[in-house]
Amino acid sequence: MYARHIAVLAATAAAVALPLLSAPAATAAPQSVATAVPASSCTTNPYLPWAVHGTSAVTIRSKATTKSTAVGVLYKSHKFTVHKTTKGATWVYITDKNTKKTGWVSGKYVYRDVRMCLD
């Protein structure tokens, strides 16, 4: 069984290596980084919007702490405006556009999605 396992691995390695070894050598000079990235790179696109993630609702609080008074609830379907964040965005100061409530919500649940550039 062990010998058969090694034989299969060796055959697979040979099948992968053969096309690489027989490929013609590249003759063109590589592009510089400046010309390789297109002018309309995804890094020039606007930021993704803020949204509620990982839960259906987040408590809006009067201060940036879990021990402060709850002033409302921000639901996942609600639109909201972000005014400021604490260092590291652990807390986000928002205004819920549906209920007009203003306060702090946890940055664990309210954040922007990350844009991935695959240029």
Side-chain angles (χ1 to χ4, degrees):
M1 178 93 161
Y2 182 71
R4 186 163 67 173
H5 183 69
I6 289 178
V8 170
L9 288 175
T12 304
V16 171
L18 185 60
L20 294 175
L21 294 174
S22 63
T27 57
Q31 290 182 331
S32 70
V33 174
T35 59
V37 177
S40 62
S41 173
C42 76
T43 57
T44 60
N45 292 339
Y47 287 110
L48 294 172
W50 288 82
V52 176
H53 297 280
T55 187
S56 58
V58 180
T59 304
I60 303 172
R61 300 197 174 271
S62 59
K63 296 180 184 175
T65 176
T66 56
K67 297 180 187 211
S68 66
T69 307
V71 296
V73 177
L74 174 64
Y75 292 97
K76 187 175 185 117
S77 62
H78 287 192
K79 302 288 184 197
F80 58 94
T81 303
V82 174
H83 302 289
K84 60 184 173 180
T85 64
T86 59
K87 186 175 181 179
T90 54
W91 288 91
V92 182
Y93 190 72
I94 60 102
T95 298
D96 185 333
K97 292 183 179 181
N98 295 66
T99 63
K100 309 298 186 223
K101 297 288 182 179
T102 299
W104 293 93
V105 293
S106 173
K108 291 179 182 178
Y109 303 107
V110 176
Y111 55 87
R112 288 180 168 162
D113 280 329
V114 177
R115 185 183 306 275
M116 293 183 63
C117 296
L118 301 175
D119 295 342

